[in-house]
Amino acid sequence: MFEPTLIIAGAALVGLTIVAAALLRAWQGWLALKREELDRHPAADRPDSGSTIGAARIELADLKERIKKLEAIASGVDL
């Protein structure tokens, strides 16, 4: 009535479903943990956070400098 192939396929499907459900539950737990960490320590309440606009400008300038260097390398100009 039941072939061994069908039994193996059914067991594999059930096993895959269980593993997928466990991984989904773990992922949701990890996201909840990260949300809790963010709620516990908001960046605006930290006295050492400072202004992020200045840091963003510095990072943007650094990225522009890297792009110029990469363009120079790509065009064959030696710096």
Side-chain angles (χ1 to χ4, degrees):
M1 179 165 192
F2 288 111
E3 291 185 32
T5 308
L6 287 176
I7 294 172
I8 292 172
L13 186 61
V14 168
L16 182 64
T17 303
I18 291 171
V19 169
L23 288 174
L24 180 61
R25 176 119 174 149
W27 176 251
Q28 290 174 346
W30 185 81
L31 287 176
L33 175 69
K34 292 300 174 183
R35 281 190 199 106
E36 187 177 315
E37 286 178 1
L38 287 174
D39 289 342
R40 191 177 306 152
H41 301 292
D45 292 343
R46 282 188 246 157
D48 62 338
S49 64
S51 174
T52 58
I53 295 173
R57 287 183 181 165
I58 292 171
E59 186 174 345
L60 187 60
D62 183 45
L63 289 174
K64 286 181 180 179
E65 183 179 337
R66 288 182 183 185
I67 289 172
K68 286 180 184 178
K69 287 181 181 179
L70 288 173
E71 287 174 344
I73 291 169
S75 66
V77 176
D78 196 18
L79 296 177

